[in-house]
PDB file of all heavy atoms in Angstrom:
ATOM      1  N   PHE A   1       0.829  -1.201   0.000  1.00 90.00           N
ATOM      2  CA  PHE A   1       0.000   0.000   0.000  1.00 90.00           C
ATOM      3  C   PHE A   1       0.867   1.256   0.000  1.00 90.00           C
ATOM      4  O   PHE A   1       0.586   2.216  -0.715  1.00 90.00           O
ATOM      5  CB  PHE A   1      -0.958   0.008   1.199  1.00 90.00           C
ATOM      6  CG  PHE A   1      -1.828   1.231   1.248  1.00 90.00           C
ATOM      7  CD1 PHE A   1      -2.907   1.372   0.397  1.00 90.00           C
ATOM      8  CD2 PHE A   1      -1.544   2.256   2.134  1.00 90.00           C
ATOM      9  CE1 PHE A   1      -3.700   2.508   0.419  1.00 90.00           C
ATOM     10  CE2 PHE A   1      -2.334   3.405   2.168  1.00 90.00           C
ATOM     11  CZ  PHE A   1      -3.412   3.523   1.314  1.00 90.00           C
ATOM     12  N   THR A   2       1.925   1.264   0.788  1.00 88.00           N
ATOM     13  CA  THR A   2       2.826   2.419   0.842  1.00 88.00           C
ATOM     14  C   THR A   2       3.503   2.631  -0.506  1.00 88.00           C
ATOM     15  O   THR A   2       3.643   3.767  -0.969  1.00 88.00           O
ATOM     16  CB  THR A   2       3.885   2.212   1.949  1.00 88.00           C
ATOM     17  OG1 THR A   2       3.229   1.954   3.179  1.00 88.00           O
ATOM     18  CG2 THR A   2       4.781   3.432   2.085  1.00 88.00           C
ATOM     19  N   TRP A   3       3.902   1.544  -1.139  1.00 93.00           N
ATOM     20  CA  TRP A   3       4.547   1.616  -2.451  1.00 93.00           C
ATOM     21  C   TRP A   3       3.611   2.240  -3.482  1.00 93.00           C
ATOM     22  O   TRP A   3       3.978   3.182  -4.181  1.00 93.00           O
ATOM     23  CB  TRP A   3       4.979   0.212  -2.880  1.00 93.00           C
ATOM     24  CG  TRP A   3       5.606   0.119  -4.230  1.00 93.00           C
ATOM     25  CD1 TRP A   3       6.850   0.544  -4.586  1.00 93.00           C
ATOM     26  CD2 TRP A   3       5.017  -0.445  -5.409  1.00 93.00           C
ATOM     27  NE1 TRP A   3       7.077   0.270  -5.921  1.00 93.00           N
ATOM     28  CE2 TRP A   3       5.972  -0.329  -6.444  1.00 93.00           C
ATOM     29  CE3 TRP A   3       3.788  -1.036  -5.682  1.00 93.00           C
ATOM     30  CZ2 TRP A   3       5.723  -0.787  -7.736  1.00 93.00           C
ATOM     31  CZ3 TRP A   3       3.546  -1.493  -6.961  1.00 93.00           C
ATOM     32  CH2 TRP A   3       4.505  -1.370  -7.973  1.00 93.00           C
ATOM     33  N   ILE A   4       2.397   1.754  -3.538  1.00 94.00           N
ATOM     34  CA  ILE A   4       1.452   2.274  -4.535  1.00 94.00           C
ATOM     35  C   ILE A   4       0.986   3.682  -4.166  1.00 94.00           C
ATOM     36  O   ILE A   4       0.730   4.513  -5.033  1.00 94.00           O
ATOM     37  CB  ILE A   4       0.282   1.301  -4.775  1.00 94.00           C
ATOM     38  CG1 ILE A   4      -0.356   1.597  -6.130  1.00 94.00           C
ATOM     39  CG2 ILE A   4      -0.724   1.338  -3.656  1.00 94.00           C
ATOM     40  CD1 ILE A   4      -1.190   0.477  -6.682  1.00 94.00           C
ATOM     41  N   LEU A   5       0.919   3.968  -2.872  1.00 90.00           N
ATOM     42  CA  LEU A   5       0.559   5.315  -2.429  1.00 90.00           C
ATOM     43  C   LEU A   5       1.624   6.327  -2.855  1.00 90.00           C
ATOM     44  O   LEU A   5       1.297   7.442  -3.263  1.00 90.00           O
ATOM     45  CB  LEU A   5       0.366   5.350  -0.916  1.00 90.00           C
ATOM     46  CG  LEU A   5      -0.112   6.666  -0.324  1.00 90.00           C
ATOM     47  CD1 LEU A   5      -1.497   7.022  -0.872  1.00 90.00           C
ATOM     48  CD2 LEU A   5      -0.172   6.578   1.197  1.00 90.00           C
ATOM     49  N   ASN A   6       2.887   5.946  -2.805  1.00 89.00           N
ATOM     50  CA  ASN A   6       3.963   6.834  -3.273  1.00 89.00           C
ATOM     51  C   ASN A   6       3.855   7.085  -4.765  1.00 89.00           C
ATOM     52  O   ASN A   6       4.072   8.205  -5.229  1.00 89.00           O
ATOM     53  CB  ASN A   6       5.336   6.261  -2.919  1.00 89.00           C
ATOM     54  CG  ASN A   6       5.693   6.500  -1.475  1.00 89.00           C
ATOM     55  OD1 ASN A   6       5.280   7.477  -0.869  1.00 89.00           O
ATOM     56  ND2 ASN A   6       6.455   5.590  -0.906  1.00 89.00           N
ATOM     57  N   ILE A   7       3.521   6.049  -5.527  1.00 94.00           N
ATOM     58  CA  ILE A   7       3.312   6.226  -6.966  1.00 94.00           C
ATOM     59  C   ILE A   7       2.173   7.213  -7.193  1.00 94.00           C
ATOM     60  O   ILE A   7       2.257   8.122  -8.022  1.00 94.00           O
ATOM     61  CB  ILE A   7       3.015   4.873  -7.658  1.00 94.00           C
ATOM     62  CG1 ILE A   7       4.237   3.957  -7.589  1.00 94.00           C
ATOM     63  CG2 ILE A   7       2.593   5.093  -9.110  1.00 94.00           C
ATOM     64  CD1 ILE A   7       3.971   2.530  -8.052  1.00 94.00           C
ATOM     65  N   ALA A   8       1.095   7.052  -6.419  1.00 93.00           N
ATOM     66  CA  ALA A   8      -0.076   7.922  -6.549  1.00 93.00           C
ATOM     67  C   ALA A   8       0.251   9.367  -6.175  1.00 93.00           C
ATOM     68  O   ALA A   8      -0.142  10.308  -6.867  1.00 93.00           O
ATOM     69  CB  ALA A   8      -1.212   7.399  -5.673  1.00 93.00           C
ATOM     70  N   ARG A   9       0.964   9.529  -5.087  1.00 88.00           N
ATOM     71  CA  ARG A   9       1.329  10.880  -4.640  1.00 88.00           C
ATOM     72  C   ARG A   9       2.166  11.581  -5.705  1.00 88.00           C
ATOM     73  O   ARG A   9       1.922  12.742  -6.054  1.00 88.00           O
ATOM     74  CB  ARG A   9       2.092  10.805  -3.317  1.00 88.00           C
ATOM     75  CG  ARG A   9       2.424  12.170  -2.720  1.00 88.00           C
ATOM     76  CD  ARG A   9       3.247  12.035  -1.456  1.00 88.00           C
ATOM     77  NE  ARG A   9       4.538  11.446  -1.680  1.00 88.00           N
ATOM     78  CZ  ARG A   9       5.601  12.100  -2.145  1.00 88.00           C
ATOM     79  NH1 ARG A   9       5.516  13.369  -2.445  1.00 88.00           N
ATOM     80  NH2 ARG A   9       6.752  11.488  -2.312  1.00 88.00           N
ATOM     81  N   ASN A  10       3.138  10.880  -6.246  1.00 89.00           N
ATOM     82  CA  ASN A  10       3.987  11.473  -7.281  1.00 89.00           C
ATOM     83  C   ASN A  10       3.176  11.823  -8.532  1.00 89.00           C
ATOM     84  O   ASN A  10       3.377  12.879  -9.134  1.00 89.00           O
ATOM     85  CB  ASN A  10       5.135  10.532  -7.639  1.00 89.00           C
ATOM     86  CG  ASN A  10       6.145  10.419  -6.508  1.00 89.00           C
ATOM     87  OD1 ASN A  10       6.237  11.285  -5.649  1.00 89.00           O
ATOM     88  ND2 ASN A  10       6.888   9.335  -6.497  1.00 89.00           N
ATOM     89  N   ALA A  11       2.261  10.949  -8.909  1.00 92.00           N
ATOM     90  CA  ALA A  11       1.420  11.217 -10.081  1.00 92.00           C
ATOM     91  C   ALA A  11       0.530  12.439  -9.843  1.00 92.00           C
ATOM     92  O   ALA A  11       0.346  13.270 -10.738  1.00 92.00           O
ATOM     93  CB  ALA A  11       0.570   9.991 -10.415  1.00 92.00           C
ATOM     94  N   ALA A  12      -0.017  12.554  -8.637  1.00 87.00           N
ATOM     95  CA  ALA A  12      -0.873  13.698  -8.318  1.00 87.00           C
ATOM     96  C   ALA A  12      -0.071  15.001  -8.319  1.00 87.00           C
ATOM     97  O   ALA A  12      -0.535  16.020  -8.831  1.00 87.00           O
ATOM     98  CB  ALA A  12      -1.548  13.485  -6.964  1.00 87.00           C
ATOM     99  N   ILE A  13       1.113  14.949  -7.760  1.00 81.00           N
ATOM    100  CA  ILE A  13       1.965  16.147  -7.747  1.00 81.00           C
ATOM    101  C   ILE A  13       2.341  16.537  -9.166  1.00 81.00           C
ATOM    102  O   ILE A  13       2.307  17.720  -9.526  1.00 81.00           O
ATOM    103  CB  ILE A  13       3.211  15.921  -6.862  1.00 81.00           C
ATOM    104  CG1 ILE A  13       2.787  15.864  -5.391  1.00 81.00           C
ATOM    105  CG2 ILE A  13       4.252  17.007  -7.087  1.00 81.00           C
ATOM    106  CD1 ILE A  13       3.877  15.400  -4.446  1.00 81.00           C
ATOM    107  N   ASP A  14       2.660  15.557  -9.990  1.00 86.00           N
ATOM    108  CA  ASP A  14       2.975  15.844 -11.390  1.00 86.00           C
ATOM    109  C   ASP A  14       1.786  16.511 -12.077  1.00 86.00           C
ATOM    110  O   ASP A  14       1.951  17.444 -12.858  1.00 86.00           O
ATOM    111  CB  ASP A  14       3.353  14.564 -12.143  1.00 86.00           C
ATOM    112  CG  ASP A  14       4.711  14.022 -11.746  1.00 86.00           C
ATOM    113  OD1 ASP A  14       5.479  14.764 -11.091  1.00 86.00           O
ATOM    114  OD2 ASP A  14       5.003  12.858 -12.090  1.00 86.00           O
ATOM    115  N   GLU A  15       0.591  16.024 -11.795  1.00 84.00           N
ATOM    116  CA  GLU A  15      -0.616  16.601 -12.394  1.00 84.00           C
ATOM    117  C   GLU A  15      -0.802  18.051 -11.955  1.00 84.00           C
ATOM    118  O   GLU A  15      -1.066  18.915 -12.775  1.00 84.00           O
ATOM    119  CB  GLU A  15      -1.843  15.783 -11.994  1.00 84.00           C
ATOM    120  CG  GLU A  15      -3.160  16.401 -12.372  1.00 84.00           C
ATOM    121  CD  GLU A  15      -3.374  16.542 -13.877  1.00 84.00           C
ATOM    122  OE1 GLU A  15      -2.696  15.868 -14.661  1.00 84.00           O
ATOM    123  OE2 GLU A  15      -4.238  17.361 -14.254  1.00 84.00           O
ATOM    124  N   VAL A  16      -0.643  18.301 -10.679  1.00 76.00           N
ATOM    125  CA  VAL A  16      -0.812  19.669 -10.169  1.00 76.00           C
ATOM    126  C   VAL A  16       0.227  20.593 -10.789  1.00 76.00           C
ATOM    127  O   VAL A  16      -0.081  21.709 -11.193  1.00 76.00           O
ATOM    128  CB  VAL A  16      -0.727  19.693  -8.625  1.00 76.00           C
ATOM    129  CG1 VAL A  16      -0.612  21.111  -8.106  1.00 76.00           C
ATOM    130  CG2 VAL A  16      -1.948  19.011  -8.033  1.00 76.00           C
ATOM    131  N   ARG A  17       1.435  20.130 -10.880  1.00 74.00           N
ATOM    132  CA  ARG A  17       2.486  20.962 -11.469  1.00 74.00           C
ATOM    133  C   ARG A  17       2.197  21.249 -12.933  1.00 74.00           C
ATOM    134  O   ARG A  17       2.372  22.367 -13.394  1.00 74.00           O
ATOM    135  CB  ARG A  17       3.842  20.285 -11.331  1.00 74.00           C
ATOM    136  CG  ARG A  17       4.372  20.347  -9.926  1.00 74.00           C
ATOM    137  CD  ARG A  17       5.709  19.673  -9.823  1.00 74.00           C
ATOM    138  NE  ARG A  17       6.215  19.757  -8.463  1.00 74.00           N
ATOM    139  CZ  ARG A  17       7.145  18.973  -7.983  1.00 74.00           C
ATOM    140  NH1 ARG A  17       7.693  18.040  -8.743  1.00 74.00           N
ATOM    141  NH2 ARG A  17       7.550  19.104  -6.745  1.00 74.00           N
ATOM    142  N   SER A  18       1.765  20.267 -13.669  1.00 77.00           N
ATOM    143  CA  SER A  18       1.510  20.507 -15.089  1.00 77.00           C
ATOM    144  C   SER A  18       0.309  21.426 -15.276  1.00 77.00           C
ATOM    145  O   SER A  18       0.330  22.317 -16.101  1.00 77.00           O
ATOM    146  CB  SER A  18       1.301  19.193 -15.840  1.00 77.00           C
ATOM    147  OG  SER A  18       0.088  18.585 -15.477  1.00 77.00           O
ATOM    148  N   LYS A  19      -0.723  21.252 -14.481  1.00 58.00           N
ATOM    149  CA  LYS A  19      -1.894  22.116 -14.576  1.00 58.00           C
ATOM    150  C   LYS A  19      -1.520  23.536 -14.176  1.00 58.00           C
ATOM    151  O   LYS A  19      -1.876  24.493 -14.848  1.00 58.00           O
ATOM    152  CB  LYS A  19      -2.999  21.577 -13.662  1.00 58.00           C
ATOM    153  CG  LYS A  19      -4.281  22.360 -13.726  1.00 58.00           C
ATOM    154  CD  LYS A  19      -5.329  21.747 -12.824  1.00 58.00           C
ATOM    155  CE  LYS A  19      -6.599  22.557 -12.843  1.00 58.00           C
ATOM    156  NZ  LYS A  19      -7.593  22.039 -11.914  1.00 58.00           N
ATOM    157  N   SER A  20      -0.770  23.648 -13.099  1.00 59.00           N
ATOM    158  CA  SER A  20      -0.327  24.954 -12.629  1.00 59.00           C
ATOM    159  C   SER A  20       0.526  25.630 -13.693  1.00 59.00           C
ATOM    160  O   SER A  20       0.381  26.829 -13.955  1.00 59.00           O
ATOM    161  CB  SER A  20       0.473  24.793 -11.342  1.00 59.00           C
ATOM    162  OG  SER A  20       1.074  26.003 -10.979  1.00 59.00           O
ATOM    163  N   PHE A  21       1.401  24.868 -14.311  1.00 45.00           N
ATOM    164  CA  PHE A  21       2.264  25.422 -15.342  1.00 45.00           C
ATOM    165  C   PHE A  21       1.431  25.961 -16.492  1.00 45.00           C
ATOM    166  O   PHE A  21       1.670  27.065 -16.986  1.00 45.00           O
ATOM    167  CB  PHE A  21       3.234  24.344 -15.836  1.00 45.00           C
ATOM    168  CG  PHE A  21       4.176  24.825 -16.891  1.00 45.00           C
ATOM    169  CD1 PHE A  21       5.231  25.659 -16.568  1.00 45.00           C
ATOM    170  CD2 PHE A  21       4.020  24.459 -18.209  1.00 45.00           C
ATOM    171  CE1 PHE A  21       6.110  26.105 -17.530  1.00 45.00           C
ATOM    172  CE2 PHE A  21       4.885  24.895 -19.184  1.00 45.00           C
ATOM    173  CZ  PHE A  21       5.931  25.722 -18.844  1.00 45.00           C
ATOM    174  N   LYS A  22       0.433  25.209 -16.925  1.00 55.00           N
ATOM    175  CA  LYS A  22      -0.424  25.654 -18.025  1.00 55.00           C
ATOM    176  C   LYS A  22      -1.173  26.929 -17.656  1.00 55.00           C
ATOM    177  O   LYS A  22      -1.293  27.841 -18.456  1.00 55.00           O
ATOM    178  CB  LYS A  22      -1.413  24.557 -18.406  1.00 55.00           C
ATOM    179  CG  LYS A  22      -0.772  23.381 -19.098  1.00 55.00           C
ATOM    180  CD  LYS A  22      -1.770  22.277 -19.334  1.00 55.00           C
ATOM    181  CE  LYS A  22      -1.076  21.024 -19.838  1.00 55.00           C
ATOM    182  NZ  LYS A  22      -1.988  19.883 -19.902  1.00 55.00           N
ATOM    183  N   GLU A  23      -1.670  26.992 -16.423  1.00 58.00           N
ATOM    184  CA  GLU A  23      -2.406  28.187 -16.001  1.00 58.00           C
ATOM    185  C   GLU A  23      -1.478  29.390 -15.875  1.00 58.00           C
ATOM    186  O   GLU A  23      -1.843  30.499 -16.240  1.00 58.00           O
ATOM    187  CB  GLU A  23      -3.109  27.925 -14.671  1.00 58.00           C
ATOM    188  CG  GLU A  23      -4.286  26.993 -14.796  1.00 58.00           C
ATOM    189  CD  GLU A  23      -4.881  26.620 -13.456  1.00 58.00           C
ATOM    190  OE1 GLU A  23      -4.331  26.998 -12.404  1.00 58.00           O
ATOM    191  OE2 GLU A  23      -5.897  25.929 -13.464  1.00 58.00           O
ATOM    192  N   GLN A  24      -0.277  29.158 -15.379  1.00 46.00           N
ATOM    193  CA  GLN A  24       0.657  30.265 -15.214  1.00 46.00           C
ATOM    194  C   GLN A  24       1.081  30.831 -16.552  1.00 46.00           C
ATOM    195  O   GLN A  24       1.362  32.014 -16.664  1.00 46.00           O
ATOM    196  CB  GLN A  24       1.884  29.816 -14.422  1.00 46.00           C
ATOM    197  CG  GLN A  24       1.594  29.636 -12.957  1.00 46.00           C
ATOM    198  CD  GLN A  24       2.806  29.115 -12.207  1.00 46.00           C
ATOM    199  OE1 GLN A  24       3.788  28.701 -12.785  1.00 46.00           O
ATOM    200  NE2 GLN A  24       2.717  29.139 -10.896  1.00 46.00           N
ATOM    201  N   LYS A  25       1.123  30.018 -17.575  1.00 46.00           N
ATOM    202  CA  LYS A  25       1.495  30.507 -18.905  1.00 46.00           C
ATOM    203  C   LYS A  25       0.448  31.470 -19.443  1.00 46.00           C
ATOM    204  O   LYS A  25       0.722  32.228 -20.357  1.00 46.00           O
ATOM    205  CB  LYS A  25       1.684  29.346 -19.876  1.00 46.00           C
ATOM    206  CG  LYS A  25       2.985  28.643 -19.689  1.00 46.00           C
ATOM    207  CD  LYS A  25       3.276  27.781 -20.870  1.00 46.00           C
ATOM    208  CE  LYS A  25       4.727  27.402 -20.805  1.00 46.00           C
ATOM    209  NZ  LYS A  25       5.350  27.282 -22.061  1.00 46.00           N
ATOM    210  N   GLN A  26      -0.741  31.428 -18.868  1.00 44.00           N
ATOM    211  CA  GLN A  26      -1.789  32.325 -19.328  1.00 44.00           C
ATOM    212  C   GLN A  26      -1.796  33.634 -18.551  1.00 44.00           C
ATOM    213  O   GLN A  26      -2.595  34.510 -18.819  1.00 44.00           O
ATOM    214  CB  GLN A  26      -3.152  31.641 -19.184  1.00 44.00           C
ATOM    215  CG  GLN A  26      -3.294  30.432 -20.086  1.00 44.00           C
ATOM    216  CD  GLN A  26      -4.559  29.661 -19.814  1.00 44.00           C
ATOM    217  OE1 GLN A  26      -5.323  29.996 -18.916  1.00 44.00           O
ATOM    218  NE2 GLN A  26      -4.784  28.631 -20.586  1.00 44.00           N
ATOM    219  N   ASN A  27      -0.918  33.735 -17.560  1.00 49.00           N
ATOM    220  CA  ASN A  27      -0.853  34.961 -16.772  1.00 49.00           C
ATOM    221  C   ASN A  27      -0.368  36.126 -17.620  1.00 49.00           C
ATOM    222  O   ASN A  27       0.152  35.962 -18.705  1.00 49.00           O
ATOM    223  CB  ASN A  27       0.093  34.783 -15.578  1.00 49.00           C
ATOM    224  CG  ASN A  27      -0.527  33.971 -14.475  1.00 49.00           C
ATOM    225  OD1 ASN A  27      -1.726  33.728 -14.459  1.00 49.00           O
ATOM    226  ND2 ASN A  27       0.297  33.538 -13.549  1.00 49.00           N
ATOM    227  N   LEU A  28      -0.501  37.287 -17.054  1.00 47.00           N
ATOM    228  CA  LEU A  28      -0.048  38.492 -17.737  1.00 47.00           C
ATOM    229  C   LEU A  28       1.462  38.488 -17.926  1.00 47.00           C
ATOM    230  O   LEU A  28       2.202  38.020 -17.083  1.00 47.00           O
ATOM    231  CB  LEU A  28      -0.438  39.722 -16.905  1.00 47.00           C
ATOM    232  CG  LEU A  28      -1.917  39.911 -16.628  1.00 47.00           C
ATOM    233  CD1 LEU A  28      -2.113  41.111 -15.713  1.00 47.00           C
ATOM    234  CD2 LEU A  28      -2.690  40.072 -17.901  1.00 47.00           C
ATOM    235  N   THR A  29       1.899  39.042 -19.031  1.00 53.00           N
ATOM    236  CA  THR A  29       3.330  39.193 -19.256  1.00 53.00           C
ATOM    237  C   THR A  29       3.771  40.524 -18.642  1.00 53.00           C
ATOM    238  O   THR A  29       2.943  41.378 -18.314  1.00 53.00           O
ATOM    239  CB  THR A  29       3.656  39.215 -20.762  1.00 53.00           C
ATOM    240  OG1 THR A  29       3.044  40.365 -21.340  1.00 53.00           O
ATOM    241  CG2 THR A  29       3.171  37.950 -21.444  1.00 53.00           C
ATOM    242  N   VAL A  30       5.055  40.712 -18.530  1.00 54.00           N
ATOM    243  CA  VAL A  30       5.582  41.970 -18.002  1.00 54.00           C
ATOM    244  C   VAL A  30       5.143  43.124 -18.901  1.00 54.00           C
ATOM    245  O   VAL A  30       4.762  44.189 -18.415  1.00 54.00           O
ATOM    246  CB  VAL A  30       7.128  41.914 -17.901  1.00 54.00           C
ATOM    247  CG1 VAL A  30       7.696  43.291 -17.635  1.00 54.00           C
ATOM    248  CG2 VAL A  30       7.536  40.974 -16.793  1.00 54.00           C
ATOM    249  N   ASP A  31       5.178  42.922 -20.216  1.00 53.00           N
ATOM    250  CA  ASP A  31       4.779  43.986 -21.142  1.00 53.00           C
ATOM    251  C   ASP A  31       3.346  44.429 -20.873  1.00 53.00           C
ATOM    252  O   ASP A  31       3.048  45.626 -20.854  1.00 53.00           O
ATOM    253  CB  ASP A  31       4.894  43.518 -22.602  1.00 53.00           C
ATOM    254  CG  ASP A  31       6.330  43.234 -23.001  1.00 53.00           C
ATOM    255  OD1 ASP A  31       7.237  43.841 -22.391  1.00 53.00           O
ATOM    256  OD2 ASP A  31       6.530  42.419 -23.905  1.00 53.00           O
ATOM    257  N   TYR A  32       2.474  43.466 -20.655  1.00 50.00           N
ATOM    258  CA  TYR A  32       1.080  43.796 -20.383  1.00 50.00           C
ATOM    259  C   TYR A  32       0.963  44.524 -19.049  1.00 50.00           C
ATOM    260  O   TYR A  32       0.240  45.500 -18.913  1.00 50.00           O
ATOM    261  CB  TYR A  32       0.230  42.520 -20.383  1.00 50.00           C
ATOM    262  CG  TYR A  32      -1.242  42.788 -20.235  1.00 50.00           C
ATOM    263  CD1 TYR A  32      -1.971  43.364 -21.277  1.00 50.00           C
ATOM    264  CD2 TYR A  32      -1.898  42.461 -19.062  1.00 50.00           C
ATOM    265  CE1 TYR A  32      -3.325  43.607 -21.140  1.00 50.00           C
ATOM    266  CE2 TYR A  32      -3.247  42.703 -18.927  1.00 50.00           C
ATOM    267  CZ  TYR A  32      -3.957  43.275 -19.969  1.00 50.00           C
ATOM    268  OH  TYR A  32      -5.293  43.519 -19.826  1.00 50.00           O
ATOM    269  N   PHE A  33       1.737  44.038 -18.057  1.00 52.00           N
ATOM    270  CA  PHE A  33       1.725  44.662 -16.740  1.00 52.00           C
ATOM    271  C   PHE A  33       2.208  46.104 -16.825  1.00 52.00           C
ATOM    272  O   PHE A  33       1.606  47.015 -16.266  1.00 52.00           O
ATOM    273  CB  PHE A  33       2.615  43.846 -15.794  1.00 52.00           C
ATOM    274  CG  PHE A  33       2.638  44.352 -14.381  1.00 52.00           C
ATOM    275  CD1 PHE A  33       1.507  44.341 -13.600  1.00 52.00           C
ATOM    276  CD2 PHE A  33       3.819  44.838 -13.838  1.00 52.00           C
ATOM    277  CE1 PHE A  33       1.535  44.800 -12.299  1.00 52.00           C
ATOM    278  CE2 PHE A  33       3.854  45.297 -12.541  1.00 52.00           C
ATOM    279  CZ  PHE A  33       2.711  45.274 -11.774  1.00 52.00           C
ATOM    280  N   VAL A  34       3.299  46.314 -17.550  1.00 52.00           N
ATOM    281  CA  VAL A  34       3.816  47.675 -17.734  1.00 52.00           C
ATOM    282  C   VAL A  34       2.772  48.522 -18.447  1.00 52.00           C
ATOM    283  O   VAL A  34       2.561  49.687 -18.111  1.00 52.00           O
ATOM    284  CB  VAL A  34       5.161  47.669 -18.504  1.00 52.00           C
ATOM    285  CG1 VAL A  34       5.575  49.081 -18.887  1.00 52.00           C
ATOM    286  CG2 VAL A  34       6.236  47.018 -17.646  1.00 52.00           C
ATOM    287  N   GLY A  35       2.088  47.941 -19.449  1.00 52.00           N
ATOM    288  CA  GLY A  35       1.034  48.663 -20.165  1.00 52.00           C
ATOM    289  C   GLY A  35      -0.081  49.108 -19.233  1.00 52.00           C
ATOM    290  O   GLY A  35      -0.593  50.220 -19.346  1.00 52.00           O
ATOM    291  N   ILE A  36      -0.463  48.237 -18.321  1.00 46.00           N
ATOM    292  CA  ILE A  36      -1.500  48.594 -17.343  1.00 46.00           C
ATOM    293  C   ILE A  36      -1.000  49.743 -16.477  1.00 46.00           C
ATOM    294  O   ILE A  36      -1.719  50.702 -16.208  1.00 46.00           O
ATOM    295  CB  ILE A  36      -1.883  47.387 -16.468  1.00 46.00           C
ATOM    296  CG1 ILE A  36      -2.643  46.361 -17.304  1.00 46.00           C
ATOM    297  CG2 ILE A  36      -2.723  47.814 -15.272  1.00 46.00           C
ATOM    298  CD1 ILE A  36      -2.890  45.049 -16.593  1.00 46.00           C
ATOM    299  N   LEU A  37       0.253  49.650 -16.057  1.00 45.00           N
ATOM    300  CA  LEU A  37       0.808  50.711 -15.224  1.00 45.00           C
ATOM    301  C   LEU A  37       0.860  52.035 -15.982  1.00 45.00           C
ATOM    302  O   LEU A  37       0.579  53.088 -15.423  1.00 45.00           O
ATOM    303  CB  LEU A  37       2.214  50.326 -14.742  1.00 45.00           C
ATOM    304  CG  LEU A  37       2.291  49.143 -13.786  1.00 45.00           C
ATOM    305  CD1 LEU A  37       3.751  48.832 -13.454  1.00 45.00           C
ATOM    306  CD2 LEU A  37       1.504  49.398 -12.527  1.00 45.00           C
ATOM    307  N   GLU A  38       1.212  51.972 -17.264  1.00 50.00           N
ATOM    308  CA  GLU A  38       1.281  53.195 -18.061  1.00 50.00           C
ATOM    309  C   GLU A  38      -0.099  53.805 -18.261  1.00 50.00           C
ATOM    310  O   GLU A  38      -0.233  55.016 -18.372  1.00 50.00           O
ATOM    311  CB  GLU A  38       1.918  52.898 -19.427  1.00 50.00           C
ATOM    312  CG  GLU A  38       3.393  52.631 -19.334  1.00 50.00           C
ATOM    313  CD  GLU A  38       3.995  52.210 -20.669  1.00 50.00           C
ATOM    314  OE1 GLU A  38       3.256  51.780 -21.571  1.00 50.00           O
ATOM    315  OE2 GLU A  38       5.225  52.311 -20.786  1.00 50.00           O
ATOM    316  N   ALA A  39      -1.115  52.968 -18.294  1.00 51.00           N
ATOM    317  CA  ALA A  39      -2.471  53.445 -18.527  1.00 51.00           C
ATOM    318  C   ALA A  39      -3.110  54.044 -17.274  1.00 51.00           C
ATOM    319  O   ALA A  39      -4.178  54.633 -17.351  1.00 51.00           O
ATOM    320  CB  ALA A  39      -3.340  52.301 -19.053  1.00 51.00           C
ATOM    321  N   THR A  40      -2.454  53.877 -16.134  1.00 48.00           N
ATOM    322  CA  THR A  40      -3.005  54.424 -14.901  1.00 48.00           C
ATOM    323  C   THR A  40      -3.000  55.942 -14.990  1.00 48.00           C
ATOM    324  O   THR A  40      -1.948  56.561 -15.122  1.00 48.00           O
ATOM    325  CB  THR A  40      -2.180  53.976 -13.673  1.00 48.00           C
ATOM    326  OG1 THR A  40      -2.154  52.552 -13.661  1.00 48.00           O
ATOM    327  CG2 THR A  40      -2.768  54.497 -12.391  1.00 48.00           C
ATOM    328  N   GLU A  41      -4.176  56.511 -14.912  1.00 48.00           N
ATOM    329  CA  GLU A  41      -4.288  57.959 -15.090  1.00 48.00           C
ATOM    330  C   GLU A  41      -4.111  58.729 -13.796  1.00 48.00           C
ATOM    331  O   GLU A  41      -3.556  59.804 -13.787  1.00 48.00           O
ATOM    332  CB  GLU A  41      -5.645  58.285 -15.722  1.00 48.00           C
ATOM    333  CG  GLU A  41      -5.763  57.762 -17.139  1.00 48.00           C
ATOM    334  CD  GLU A  41      -7.124  58.038 -17.739  1.00 48.00           C
ATOM    335  OE1 GLU A  41      -7.905  58.812 -17.145  1.00 48.00           O
ATOM    336  OE2 GLU A  41      -7.403  57.486 -18.802  1.00 48.00           O
TER     337      GLU A  41
END
């Protein structure tokens, strides 16, 4: 059970990291952030 639980834990962590990575790639870029700052009136 411990052996298979370790496999499961690693697979779940890999999934979270890959999902997180995909979501983070959709975040604002520095250029966009600077643009927002420049637009502040």
